[in-house]
Amino acid sequence: MQEEGFYFPIHLGVTEAGDGEDGRIKSAAGIATLLCEGIGDTIRVSLTEEPELEIPVAKMIADQFEVDKISKITNSNNPKEKSIVDPFIYTRRKTASLPILRTTHGNKVSAIGDGQVPVVFVSTKSNTEFKMQWDESFHPDFIIQKEGKTAFKEVGFDPVFIDGGYFEYHKHYLLKAIQGKSNFNPLLIIESKDRGPIEQTRGIIYHLIENNNLTPVIIKRKYTGLTDDEFIIKATSDLSNLLIDGLIDGIWIESDKQNMETICRVSFGILQSTGDRSFKTDYIACPSCGRTLFNIQDTLAKIKLRTSHLKGLKIGVMGCIVNGPGEMADAHFGYVGTGSGKISLYKSNRLVKKNINEDKAVDELISLIKENGLWQEQ
């Protein structure tokens, strides 16, 4: 548009984000990532919830990009940035592999960096926090219980901490701190409190790339005094843009108001929203409109209750056939309203069962999943 001289305002939205925590994470990941690049003039958050619940979420996202912050946002037209990150092709930053002597929970990953999935760190003063009956799928890869570097030595690498807000101050010392030492396995941890200095963080990573330094990078963010929704929006906005550009090797979130289960679940939710890891069923669900002739909120809740244990499966729940089949095209299965009290089921983008009575449709969806060999018992 800029090359053609089309300087028109741009509207951003994530239409089929779904509901609850997932809907908020997906909305922030999609919208805030572009706002971080200076793209977008208006936004719309679409949740499978009551419309009035969408407005506070949209405001939380927009408030992070106030006018006085715009000059600090990384400009996607910067020639230097274009030479480092191609916005049209996803690639992971090339890094060294840090073999792990042992993980602190579950041996999910064998190394950090070198194309491995981004990892999840958490901090705790007591291991009792991890004796609760959680879903094992979102237990963290690393639980850091001890202060300082001792805890990291136990898993086989040497942490180098840097304050993300003072890159220019640290710039001349950074490379010396992470290279050229024998028996030294550096892991760079860029940390900051509350609102992360995204442009400074990118500057640090670009500095590594320009100097052919392969040290893996973990982003650590600490948040204070936030409600659950604020925490979800801020953490996702801070981290998703760096993950989507393939620049980092893991995330480490701390918060004084959220419990450890919430922190871990949101951490993995962010990684799932950016396509880096999959730990649960993914739902594509529209916000409904006048064409939706069934209660999509209740239906989504029923489908989640029956299918939430199907890790890696993607299910679309759409209100009508006008936009539904196209907008859920990458789902494994789709549940689409076709008329009053009638539902059609899809496998990928192919219609397989038509005009099923609504009261039988969820059972028919389960049967379809089983017929295709993708059902797992809880």
Side-chain angles (χ1 to χ4, degrees):
M1 289 177 66
Q2 288 181 329
E3 289 175 355
E4 296 292 335
F6 295 157
Y7 298 107
F8 302 124
I10 296 176
H11 178 72
L12 306 178
V14 178
T15 308
E16 276 73 43
D19 66 347
E21 192 174 274
D22 291 343
R24 285 153 178 77
I25 290 174
K26 288 181 182 179
S27 296
I31 295 170
T33 293
L34 292 173
L35 292 176
C36 282
E37 300 288 344
I39 299 171
D41 300 280
T42 63
I43 67 172
R44 160 78 194 276
V45 168
S46 301
L47 302 174
T48 311
E49 300 178 15
E50 295 303 317
E52 59 268 24
L53 298 180
E54 299 171 341
I55 298 171
V57 177
K59 191 173 187 306
M60 288 178 202
I61 295 173
D63 283 350
Q64 298 180 87
F65 302 93
E66 297 169 1
V67 173
D68 64 339
K69 297 176 182 176
I70 289 177
S71 62
K72 298 180 181 180
I73 295 172
T74 301
N75 188 338
S76 60
N77 293 312
N78 186 329
K80 178 180 176 182
E81 180 173 353
K82 281 188 174 181
S83 68
I84 295 174
V85 177
D86 187 333
F88 304 109
I89 300 175
Y90 172 80
T91 56
R92 280 284 295 278
R93 171 183 166 246
K94 185 178 180 181
T95 61
S97 176
L98 290 183
I100 297 166
L101 298 180
R102 67 174 182 85
T103 57
T104 52
H105 183 87
N107 294 314
K108 288 184 179 180
V109 292
S110 59
I112 295 178
D114 193 28
Q116 297 286 330
V117 295
V119 296
V120 171
F121 281 75
V122 295
S123 310
T124 181
K125 294 180 180 179
S126 170
N127 202 38
T128 57
E129 290 184 277
F130 294 92
K131 293 181 180 179
M132 295 183 290
Q133 298 302 309
W134 296 5
D135 184 336
E136 287 280 329
S137 61
F138 58 86
H139 273 256
D141 301 305
F142 299 96
I143 302 169
I144 304 301
Q145 288 182 255
K146 300 176 183 178
E147 296 294 333
K149 299 181 180 180
T150 306
F152 292 91
K153 276 294 187 183
E154 292 177 356
V155 291
F157 42 77
D158 301 276
V160 177
F161 289 85
I162 184 172
D163 189 327
Y166 295 93
F167 169 53
E168 290 302 323
Y169 177 78
H170 292 296
K171 184 174 182 179
H172 301 295
Y173 305 98
L174 176 60
L175 296 179
K176 292 181 180 179
I178 57 177
Q179 66 186 17
K181 300 178 182 179
S182 59
N183 299 318
F184 187 64
N185 297 309
L187 176 66
L188 182 62
I189 299 171
I190 305 173
E191 56 183 341
S192 65
K193 294 181 180 179
D194 296 306
R195 173 66 181 164
I198 296 171
E199 73 293 336
Q200 292 282 351
T201 300
R202 282 182 173 269
I204 295 170
I205 298 170
Y206 293 165
H207 187 58
L208 297 179
I209 294 172
E210 289 170 340
N211 287 275
N212 298 314
N213 187 285
L214 304 182
T215 302
V217 172
I218 304 295
I219 302 299
K220 183 180 181 184
R221 294 283 185 260
K222 184 172 183 178
Y223 301 98
T224 56
L226 302 180
T227 66
D228 283 353
D229 274 5
E230 289 170 337
F231 167 69
I232 291 167
I233 297 302
K234 286 182 177 292
T236 305
S237 299
D238 279 350
L239 298 167
S240 59
N241 66 94
L242 299 168
L243 289 162
I244 287 171
D245 279 344
L247 294 175
I248 60 177
D249 302 285
I251 60 176
W252 183 351
I253 300 174
E254 295 180 347
S255 180
D256 65 343
K257 295 296 183 182
Q258 281 64 46
N259 62 32
M260 195 59 63
E261 181 178 356
T262 299
I263 292 171
C264 292
R265 193 177 59 247
V266 170
S267 296
F268 278 99
I270 293 170
L271 292 179
Q272 179 150 326
S273 75
T274 57
D276 287 290
R277 292 179 76 160
S278 177
F279 77 104
K280 62 181 179 180
T281 316
D282 197 7
Y283 298 95
I284 303 169
C286 75
S288 84
C289 67
R291 295 188 298 267
T292 303
L293 301 178
F294 65 96
N295 190 317
I296 194 168
Q297 295 176 32
D298 288 350
T299 300
L300 178 60
K302 291 176 184 177
I303 292 173
K304 281 188 169 185
L305 184 64
R306 302 278 298 274
T307 63
S308 61
H309 64 292
L310 301 176
K311 176 182 175 181
L313 204 64
K314 187 177 288 189
I315 299 173
V317 182
M318 311 302 292
C320 73
I321 60 172
V322 176
N323 296 321
E327 293 181 345
M328 63 164 199
D330 62 337
H332 297 100
F333 299 96
Y335 179 111
V336 181
T338 52
S340 181
K342 298 294 181 180
I343 304 296
S344 291
L345 299 180
Y346 288 72
K347 182 179 184 299
S348 297
N349 59 356
R350 180 169 59 89
L351 176 63
V352 292
K353 295 187 179 184
K354 188 175 181 180
N355 293 331
I356 305 164
N357 288 336
E358 183 185 347
D359 59 351
K360 298 179 180 179
V362 175
D363 288 335
E364 289 289 337
L365 173 64
I366 303 304
S367 296
L368 181 61
I369 296 171
K370 290 180 177 179
E371 289 168 12
N372 284 272
L374 295 174
W375 183 259
Q376 304 166 21
E377 296 298 334
Q378 296 192 52

